[in-house]
Amino acid sequence: MVSTKPNWPPRYMLLHLQALQVEAQAQQQNAAAGQTDNDCDHDDNVSGKDSDNESDEEHDRDEYDDAHDSDDHRHSDDRPLHGGVAAVLANLHSNLAHRRQQIAKQAKKFAQGSQQDKDAIVAAGFVPWLVSFLRSYQRGVQKEAAHALGALAAGSQQSKDAVISAGAVPQLVILLRSDQPCKDRTATAAACALAALASGCQQSRDAIIKGIGPLFDALLGLEQPLAQEEAAYALHTLAKHSEQGASIVIAAGGLPVFIALLQSDQSALQEAAVDVLGQLGSWSESNKVTIIAGGALPRVVAMLRSDQALLQRTSAITLARLARASSWAKNAIIAADAVPLLVACLRADRPDQPRIAATIACAGLALGSQRAKDAIIAAGAVPLLVPVLRLHPLAAISALESLANDCRQAKAAVIAAGAVPSIVAMLRVHDPFVACLAARALKVLAIGFQEAKDAIIAAGAVPLLVAMSKNGTSERQKQAAGALEVLVVAYSKRASPMCTCM
């Protein structure tokens, strides 16, 4: 669809918005000038949906007649001149709401443009006006205003700060609480805006934390999957960036909510729930225990069977986060039969992202757990990890190193799979971190295993390690020197067969 946003410079954009604003304000002033007390009282009974002071949006009956004398909707001679007061006020409220909606919609189009456009809207002082529209009783006005504020919040931190300073967060939260029908996607617009704000600095997240309850209500109560996804994303962001945020999400009852969402029929909601659980579990052992004891693990493992690559990827990453630094969690993951499913994700016919994520999960599980190493090797992971070296060297080297550490069976499997030449080749890459990791992995393989030493030397590692030990960062030199120290005796014997050195 072709965008309808005019390609105007900011000063013309602001002139256009200001013209709309002046027109609406003039209409409000005209309405306020002749409003009677009786009309105000009656309007309170008619419109009582708005928390704003709506007196400036009301016309008296004479102004209503004047306005309608100038259009195509004239009264017939046999119709009462003034009509019912309720009809008058409903018409006038509708006109003003239309004007506000037009302004918010135009602001949204501009805010969806460049950061320069966003800065111009903020500098012109339109943000408080948009926030005031969130309190309108018209859902269309609320929706467009929320969209505009969300578009602004998707920009720089300065744009986010302007939205927060104008008091938008409490009003957006109220829209999530609303019992109005969700066909107009107002709740979705509010959730999107909150998610955009949550991606900013800690101040932005702190403002949203105060309204965390309605975000959970949105996850379980809204009919719109998109609104639920955005609410989940906002909570995910809160849990991701600080342990305090994660603790607040859990204290507010977040874990049962996300565990329940694992059974959603919406794959996007399942993916969001799995991701949040992984983030929450990464912060503490107690969180891991709560998540696994709450029945989440079998559902997370089952998602590895999904035909959707994103869901497989996120499930594998969540298992890696749960396994990190937790022997108890690793044993629970193994007992849930996750290892064969993770290894199946490593196959070459699978999409790249699940393969990489499963590699990371295998690395995490194998680290410090002989039981996990045995399960991963028995499932046939090692030959499948070797091709991943070309796809994601860091993940594959980490997995092979974790498996080989203090495990002769794994070392033999790595050598048998032909992984050594591929690891040695990583010593040549320009990425210093990859080279360091490769040198460390070669050292782990060589320790106490002559067959590995011979394979490493045969692959031409020694000259490359010598060059590394003399150049580059201190960590690069350290890892190269460590590998050489393990290999030097074997290399000396290979270079000089008559040497009697020990």
Side-chain angles (χ1 to χ4, degrees):
M1 183 180 294
V2 178
S3 173
T4 59
K5 175 186 178 295
N7 187 21
W8 294 343
R11 63 189 184 93
Y12 293 113
M13 172 191 74
L14 295 178
L15 285 174
H16 182 65
L17 284 176
Q18 286 165 349
L20 293 173
Q21 183 180 12
V22 168
E23 186 177 349
Q25 288 173 335
Q27 196 173 11
Q28 292 171 349
Q29 291 169 359
N30 290 337
Q35 181 60 54
T36 63
D37 292 338
N38 289 337
D39 288 339
C40 291
D41 293 340
H42 192 88
D43 182 67
D44 287 342
N45 295 329
V46 171
S47 68
K49 302 176 183 178
D50 193 355
S51 61
D52 274 342
N53 181 3
E54 295 289 342
S55 63
D56 59 345
E57 296 182 14
E58 301 166 359
H59 288 279
D60 64 12
R61 288 173 295 181
D62 290 336
E63 290 175 328
Y64 175 75
D65 292 340
D66 292 340
H68 279 252
D69 284 343
S70 62
D71 62 25
D72 294 332
H73 304 284
R74 301 180 184 279
H75 295 283
S76 61
D77 293 339
D78 57 348
R79 180 179 175 183
L81 182 62
H82 300 301
V85 174
V88 174
L89 293 174
N91 181 75
L92 293 170
H93 275 296
S94 176
N95 289 341
L96 265 179
H98 175 73
R99 177 60 60 199
R100 285 179 163 183
Q101 187 170 346
Q102 183 182 10
I103 296 167
K105 185 178 291 187
Q106 195 67 62
K108 176 188 73 174
K109 290 179 180 178
F110 289 129
Q112 288 172 339
S114 66
Q115 185 59 48
Q116 185 183 17
D117 292 343
K118 294 177 174 63
D119 293 341
I121 292 174
V122 171
F126 279 104
V127 177
W129 218 46
L130 290 170
V131 172
S132 72
F133 287 0
L134 296 176
R135 295 190 289 270
S136 170
Y137 74 93
Q138 290 283 345
R139 298 288 285 178
V141 175
Q142 293 174 331
K143 180 186 71 172
E144 296 299 339
H147 274 310
L149 292 167
L152 287 172
S156 67
Q157 185 59 48
Q158 181 181 4
S159 299
K160 291 178 173 65
D161 292 342
V163 173
I164 292 171
S165 299
V169 171
Q171 297 304 319
L172 292 168
V173 168
I174 287 172
L175 294 184
L176 289 179
R177 286 197 184 108
S178 175
D179 58 359
Q180 295 287 338
C182 293
K183 294 179 181 178
D184 53 15
R185 295 187 175 275
T186 303
T188 299
C192 287
L194 289 169
L197 289 169
S199 66
C201 68
Q202 189 59 46
Q203 177 190 0
S204 303
R205 293 188 286 274
D206 289 343
I208 296 173
I209 282 172
K210 297 176 182 178
I212 201 168
L215 285 172
F216 288 125
D217 296 339
L219 278 174
L220 295 179
L222 290 177
E223 299 174 359
Q224 299 176 36
L226 181 58
Q228 293 176 311
E229 291 170 31
E230 294 295 341
Y233 175 74
L235 290 165
H236 164 271
T237 306
L238 296 176
K240 175 181 179 180
H241 288 281
S242 73
E243 187 172 2
Q244 178 190 14
S247 299
I248 292 173
V249 170
I250 292 172
L255 285 178
V257 172
F258 289 114
I259 290 173
L261 284 177
L262 293 176
Q263 294 181 307
S264 171
D265 57 359
Q266 300 288 331
S267 61
L269 279 179
Q270 290 180 324
E271 192 271 333
V274 171
D275 199 9
V276 174
L277 289 172
Q279 294 288 354
L280 293 173
S282 67
W283 286 108
S284 70
E285 180 76 8
S286 62
N287 289 357
K288 291 177 173 55
V289 171
T290 304
I291 291 168
I292 294 174
L297 191 55
R299 299 176 191 175
V300 174
V301 171
M303 290 177 189
L304 293 171
R305 297 188 178 94
S306 172
D307 58 357
Q308 298 190 35
L310 182 59
L311 199 52
Q312 288 181 330
R313 172 200 172 277
T314 307
S315 299
I317 291 297
T318 292
L319 291 173
R321 287 171 175 159
L322 292 174
R324 187 181 303 153
S326 175
S327 299
W328 179 84
K330 290 177 182 180
N331 289 334
I333 292 169
I334 295 168
D337 294 326
V339 171
L341 294 174
L342 287 170
V343 172
C345 289
L346 295 173
R347 295 202 311 261
D349 60 346
R350 295 296 180 91
D352 290 349
Q353 291 303 315
R355 291 176 71 193
I356 295 170
T359 301
I360 294 170
C362 287
L365 282 168
L367 187 62
S369 171
Q370 187 59 49
R371 182 183 176 189
K373 293 176 185 179
D374 294 340
I376 293 169
I377 294 169
V382 175
L384 298 175
L385 286 170
V386 177
V388 184
L389 283 165
R390 295 188 296 272
L391 181 64
H392 198 294
L394 290 178
I397 294 172
S398 295
L400 292 170
E401 179 189 350
S402 296
L403 287 167
N405 195 16
D406 291 330
C407 181
R408 293 180 64 85
Q409 180 189 3
K411 293 179 181 183
V414 170
I415 295 168
V420 170
S422 297
I423 298 174
V424 170
M426 296 301 160
L427 298 174
R428 298 186 176 95
V429 301
H430 295 295
D431 186 336
F433 193 71
V434 172
C436 285
L437 200 58
R440 192 176 71 184
L442 293 173
K443 174 184 175 181
V444 168
L445 277 170
I447 292 176
F449 201 66
Q450 187 62 45
E451 186 180 352
K453 294 177 183 179
D454 292 341
I456 294 168
I457 293 168
V462 173
L464 296 173
L465 290 169
V466 170
M468 276 183 62
S469 68
K470 298 177 180 178
N471 300 287
T473 65
S474 59
E475 182 63 23
R476 180 185 173 98
Q477 294 177 19
K478 174 184 174 182
Q479 295 300 337
L484 285 170
E485 184 179 357
V486 176
L487 293 169
V488 65
V489 173
Y491 182 70
S492 298
K493 289 181 178 179
R494 187 183 183 92
S496 304
M498 300 301 294
C499 179
T500 59
C501 299
M502 297 298 295

